[in-house]
Amino acid sequence: DGGITQSPKYLFRKEGQNVTLSCEQNLNHDAMYWYRQDPGQGLRLIYYSQIVNDFQKGDIAEGYSVSREKKESFPLTVTSAQKNPTAFYLCASSRDGNQPQHFGDGTRLSIL
Amino acid sequence: AQSVTQPDIHITVSEGASLELRCNYSYGATPYLFWYVQSPGQGLQLLLKYFSGDTLVQGIKGFEAEFKRSQSSFNLRKPSVHWSDAAEYFCAVGAQKDTGRRALTFGSGTRLQVQP
């Protein structure tokens, strides 16, 4: 079955450490997205990519980085510069920016 | 810039009662509109979408939504709520070409609680 796989489901970060969240899709979608979800704040866009080797900052990109070397993969790195990284992170993909997005099951990141 | 407002943070309804979740958007042209549902600890699932044409849109799980341009609204409805409908619901508006933003904008969500 086609879908989006996020791993790991739970992740813990130590102070000063960078961590990378994985997102893989086999839907052959061109566009991929990363969102951060905090209670009561809905989904906030971190980064998105419309095509391989290209990506754009979203609304809250500071302290995060991404790469898009392959169509099916869009990893997100939470750097030590992100001072409040505890949140639920969701990855999504779509054919383009106006088409429905398909979501993974999320990664919950916490601070040790 | 485009924006989406869901005025109700939390709604409680009795099982079998009707439901309406409100969504208002700010967008210059005819928007692409979506409703998603999220169960705790899970990703989002698409309920329905509006691109053009008939303003009453049918979705999965017995949900429907009506696009009203004059009110800039896209409210979600269900005639009879089931206990399994308890979840968080998000309204979203599609990409806005004139700003170059090629991603959906989501509202802050409405949490639905269903009483037996």
Side-chain angles (χ1 to χ4, degrees), chain A residues 9 33 35 37 40-43 45 48 50 58-59 88 90 96-106 108, chain B residues 32 34 36 38 41-46 49 51 88 90 94-97 100-104 106-109:
Chain A
K9 192 169 180 66
Y33 312 84
Y35 294 92
Q37 187 174 26
Q41 295 195 47
L43 278 70
L45 183 65
Y48 63 104
Q50 294 296 305
D59 302 318
F88 189 54
L90 286 163
D96 66 42
N98 270 323
Q99 296 301 315
Q101 293 182 5
H102 297 250
F103 283 81
D105 286 335
R108 187 165 300 279
Chain B
Y32 292 6
F34 308 84
Y36 286 85
Q38 183 183 33
Q42 301 294 315
L44 278 65
Q45 180 184 21
L46 179 70
K49 62 184 185 288
F51 285 179
E88 188 146 23
F90 293 93
Q96 189 170 17
K97 294 181 181 179
R101 179 185 172 99
R102 302 295 295 170
L104 304 186
F106 285 84
S108 56

Side-chain angles (χ1 to χ4, degrees), chain A:
Chain A
D1 288 340
I4 297 181
T5 301
Q6 290 188 241
S7 62
K9 192 169 180 66
Y10 299 96
L11 187 58
F12 298 90
R13 196 190 88 170
K14 295 179 181 178
E15 292 290 337
Q17 184 182 45
N18 294 350
V19 292
T20 297
L21 284 61
S22 171
C23 178
E24 302 277 333
Q25 55 102 357
N26 60 5
L27 298 167
N28 199 33
H29 286 164
D30 286 318
M32 296 188 73
Y33 312 84
W34 275 105
Y35 294 92
R36 170 178 172 142
Q37 187 174 26
D38 297 282
Q41 295 195 47
L43 278 70
R44 292 184 290 169
L45 183 65
I46 303 173
Y47 269 98
Y48 63 104
S49 168
Q50 294 296 305
I51 198 168
V52 174
N53 292 322
D54 187 42
F55 50 82
Q56 290 78 40
K57 292 182 179 180
D59 302 318
I60 55 165
E62 186 175 352
Y64 300 96
S65 66
V66 294
S67 63
R68 186 84 186 278
E69 297 176 359
K70 299 186 295 183
K71 185 175 185 177
E72 59 271 21
S73 179
F74 191 42
L76 173 74
T77 297
V78 184
T79 74
S80 57
Q82 173 51 246
K83 297 307 179 187
N84 184 24
T86 297
F88 189 54
Y89 291 87
L90 286 163
C91 179
S93 72
S94 67
R95 284 189 289 151
D96 66 42
N98 270 323
Q99 296 301 315
Q101 293 182 5
H102 297 250
F103 283 81
D105 286 335
T107 293
R108 187 165 300 279
L109 175 62
S110 302
I111 297 296
L112 283 178

Side-chain angles (χ1 to χ4, degrees), chain B residues 59-91:
Chain B
I60 63 171
K61 304 184 179 187
F63 286 92
E64 66 178 26
E66 186 171 13
F67 170 58
K68 293 186 177 180
R69 184 190 304 277
S70 61
Q71 299 176 20
S72 297
S73 70
F74 188 57
N75 294 350
L76 182 71
R77 301 193 295 246
K78 187 170 186 178
S80 178
V81 171
H82 188 262
W83 64 266
S84 60
D85 293 324
E88 188 146 23
Y89 292 79
F90 293 93
C91 181

